[in-house]
Amino acid sequence: MKKYYSLIVFMAIAVSSRAQLPLNGKHYADSIRLTLNNPAPDSAKARSCFRLTDYFILSEDTVKARQYLKQGLKYSGSNKYLQSVFLVFQAGTLPGARPDSAIKTYLQADKELKKYNTPDALLIRAKGLHDYARLLQYKNDNLEAYVNILLNQALPLAQQAGDRGYTGKIYLDVAFAFKNLNNFKKAEVYLFKAIATLKNAPKDAQYLASAYHTLSENYSLSGKATQAAAMLDSMRILLTPYPDADAWLDYYAGEGMRLTIAGQFDQSLTVIDKGIALAQKLQQEYPEQRLLMQKFYALYNKKSFQQAKAVALDLSHRKPFMNIASNRSQLFYCLALTDEELKDKAGAYDWMKRYSALSDSISHSTLETKINSLEIKYQTAEKQKKITELEADRQKAKLTNWLLGTASITLLIITVFLIYYYRNSKKLAQQKELNHQQQLKEIEQQQQLKFTQAMLTGEEQERQRVARDLHDGLGGMLSGIKIKLSGQAKAAGHQELDGVILQLDHSVAELRRIARNMMPESLLRLGLETALRDLCESLMSEQTKIKFQAYDIRKDMPAVIQANIYRIVQELLSNAVRHAEASNIILQCSQNNDIFLITIEDNGIGFDVKTALDAEGIGFSNIKNRVDYMKGKMDIESAINEGTVINIELNAAG
């Protein structure tokens, strides 16, 4: 399992959601045009024109979008509802230089559409509010307002309209917002909601493709390479019937990111260049610029710093990428790092100043807090809606019961009382049994903990005794024999004794190695951190490299705690060296108050986690006993031929 690179985390920033065209592209537009040539009511033709307007807005062809918008207004005639719908699409055709006019038009459209409570009107309102939110984000870089409008205004309307496709799209766009804040867990929640919703909306497959792509990036940035590859496979299968769909640009971006994080830089550059060529063919500016940013990451991590800088400088002059503040911040920081690698101190300083000036204006943590509060507000509203529905159902049930008459009510009360009495008696019996079982379980756990504590304490005491006996007793005897033999060899000139003396040297060294392994002197004299560092150095060889990183390890921990932590790490390293056949091992140990964290990562042969934990092997059994003794927890990630990562959290309180 490969360790991903520190710069890659910036990929989560400023990958904004973009509008998704239908996967069948031109065929979709042609099929709508045909309806305009067939006999149909003017209202139906107006709707077809508005759909074509939306299609060409997404295609960034504002000329054609306005042509069909004008036709749609003509077919709307005196229909007040369609005139209100016209306003939503008119706002979408306003140029970027007139965002204030577009905002005003969206708000006017929503005000007019509130007069209608049909599913179609609710859906058009949801679309208008969604596009209004995106415009606010683009104009003011206001992510807070964006998420607030999506969760608390657009989403409820789409759900009321019963449109699964647009509901899934809004979930997807909320996930984008959390992903861009590096809140991958929250993004994952909304991505799962989006995928579950969109799988039942086949006509909106373009949104499902985008959800697969976004979840793959989310997994890549979380270090979950296998899950990222699975999402990209699902996306590729979905896109295969549509070779010219612009959603392929997202696929190439996601695959490029995954390969870069995996350290496969040349393969990543090949995939990204394919995506750039397709973006140029489809005349998609922002997707091409996103792919150029991916190309920078691949080149930087490949250590092709001069080429990486050339790509970044080219991107720094491009719009709309540089219109977004978080994109600018990201690019300035990347250029500062690149100049630093190229030993251009003046350039690095200049880019870092520009990055710092921009970063000061972006209160990232405050924004994340506000967005989380908006989500809570949305969840609360959803719960309140359910409570209201339940209250309405209760009132209906109350009215129905009243109509049944006094006799029916009396019979019902008696029946309910008997059922309640029976169930209550049964519950009491079950609860007593559960309490008894729980007490037995707690007693058993306490006994097991005492047994483990006694066993580990006895084991450490025995290790210390045997280590002392070996070192002070047998070691001293062997050293004395060596001294006498050396004296006799020099006095009598018996050179044949040199071989015996050499064997004694090896025996004494091996004896001391065994004694140190049983109870290292450095642990007793210098503390845990030094002992762990000595342990790593003793296990390193030409075939195995071990990198040890320690952070804030306290020296005042009780000796028994330090000994247990040392034994856990010793067993983990032994497994990695002897069984995993790893050539590179990274060990990290850190402490935060009474919490002690251990992370060990290797590139060995890996194993099936469930099989290993179910097996009765001594290694994992010893580790689990010590972790349980220290009231800790252990998490293992491994797969055959993909290495292993083990995270352990321990209670280091005395």
Side-chain angles (χ1 to χ4, degrees), residues 186-396:
K186 192 63 68 65
E188 189 173 308
V189 170
Y190 282 98
L191 285 167
F192 282 140
K193 287 184 178 183
I195 290 172
T197 305
L198 292 166
K199 280 184 176 179
N200 296 311
K203 69 183 181 67
D204 296 299
Q206 69 273 20
Y207 301 138
L208 181 59
S210 183
Y212 283 139
H213 159 253
T214 307
L215 188 51
S216 77
E217 285 193 344
N218 209 58
Y219 279 139
S220 291
L221 293 165
S222 303
K224 300 177 181 178
T226 303
Q227 295 93 322
M231 290 300 103
L232 288 168
D233 286 342
S234 298
M235 184 181 185
R236 189 184 67 253
I237 292 168
L238 183 65
L239 294 180
T240 298
Y242 313 100
D244 292 323
D246 74 332
W248 280 105
L249 301 175
D250 287 337
Y251 173 81
Y252 287 128
E255 181 68 356
M257 174 187 287
R258 186 185 71 82
L259 291 169
T260 297
I261 292 176
Q264 301 175 31
F265 305 125
D266 290 331
Q267 297 93 317
S268 175
L269 289 168
T270 300
V271 168
I272 291 168
D273 284 337
K274 285 183 181 179
I276 290 173
L278 180 60
Q280 291 171 346
K281 176 184 174 183
L282 298 177
Q283 297 181 337
Q284 295 285 331
E285 288 185 357
Y286 191 73
E288 178 188 355
Q289 292 158 13
R290 285 182 59 207
L291 285 161
L292 283 171
M293 196 69 231
Q294 296 282 3
K295 187 170 185 177
F296 167 84
Y297 291 124
L299 289 168
Y300 181 94
N301 286 284
K302 189 184 176 184
K303 301 191 183 302
S304 299
F305 299 118
Q306 200 64 54
Q307 292 176 279
K309 181 177 180 179
V311 171
L313 287 174
D314 172 43
L315 191 54
S316 70
H317 300 294
R318 297 208 184 195
K319 295 179 180 180
F321 185 86
M322 294 300 289
N323 287 339
I324 300 174
S326 53
N327 284 359
R328 295 195 299 274
S329 174
Q330 174 187 11
L331 195 62
F332 293 162
Y333 185 81
C334 291
L335 280 165
L337 293 183
T338 307
D339 274 347
E340 186 176 0
E341 294 289 349
L342 293 170
K343 311 300 181 187
D344 182 358
K345 294 182 179 179
Y349 175 72
D350 180 60
W351 287 115
M352 188 57 73
K353 275 205 313 182
R354 297 173 69 176
Y355 164 74
S356 298
L358 187 58
S359 297
D360 289 342
S361 66
I362 302 174
S363 181
H364 188 276
S365 59
T366 303
L367 179 60
E368 182 172 6
T369 301
K370 288 182 179 179
I371 288 180
N372 285 331
S373 70
L374 291 173
E375 190 204 10
I376 293 170
K377 180 181 176 182
Y378 159 69
Q379 297 290 357
T380 303
E382 287 292 293
K383 290 178 182 178
Q384 186 60 46
K385 184 167 64 176
K386 290 180 180 179
I387 291 171
T388 302
E389 292 173 355
L390 289 172
E391 180 64 23
D393 291 342
R394 191 182 70 82
Q395 292 295 336
K396 290 179 182 178

Side-chain angles (χ1 to χ4, degrees), residues 118-163:
T118 64
D120 185 67
L122 293 170
L123 182 60
I124 294 295
R125 282 187 65 200
K127 171 183 167 45
L129 288 167
H130 170 274
D131 294 346
Y132 164 67
R134 289 193 63 193
L135 181 59
L136 285 182
Q137 183 196 11
Y138 178 83
K139 179 177 180 288
N140 302 324
D141 208 20
N142 192 341
L143 201 57
E144 177 191 354
Y146 176 67
V147 174
N148 182 26
I149 295 169
L150 290 187
L151 282 178
N152 298 305
Q153 297 183 50
L155 181 59
L157 291 172
Q159 291 172 330
Q160 290 176 48
D163 192 292

Side-chain angles (χ1 to χ4, degrees), residues 4 10 121 131 199 201 207 231 318 361 434 461 479 528 538:
Y4 56 88
F10 283 89
D131 294 346
K199 280 184 176 179
Y207 301 138
M231 290 300 103
R318 297 208 184 195
S361 66
L434 287 173
Q461 291 173 349
S479 297
L528 179 60
S538 69

Side-chain angles (χ1 to χ4, degrees), residues 47 79-82 84-85 88-89 109-129 153-154 156-163 166:
R47 294 173 189 274
N79 188 316
K80 296 292 184 183
Y81 171 68
L82 290 177
S84 301
V85 173
V88 174
F89 295 95
D110 188 65
K111 180 180 178 181
E112 295 295 327
L113 288 167
K114 282 182 180 177
K115 302 173 184 176
Y116 309 94
N117 199 32
T118 64
D120 185 67
L122 293 170
L123 182 60
I124 294 295
R125 282 187 65 200
K127 171 183 167 45
L129 288 167
Q153 297 183 50
L157 291 172
Q159 291 172 330
Q160 290 176 48
D163 192 292
Y166 215 78

Side-chain angles (χ1 to χ4, degrees), residues 54 57 67 162 205 225 241 254 272 310 329 469 556 600 602 607:
D54 194 41
I57 290 172
Q67 289 175 353
I272 291 168
S329 174
D469 289 349
D556 60 349
I600 184 167
D602 67 63
F607 58 90

Side-chain angles (χ1 to χ4, degrees), residues 98 105 112 287 398:
R98 298 172 59 194
T105 306
E112 295 295 327
K398 184 178 178 181

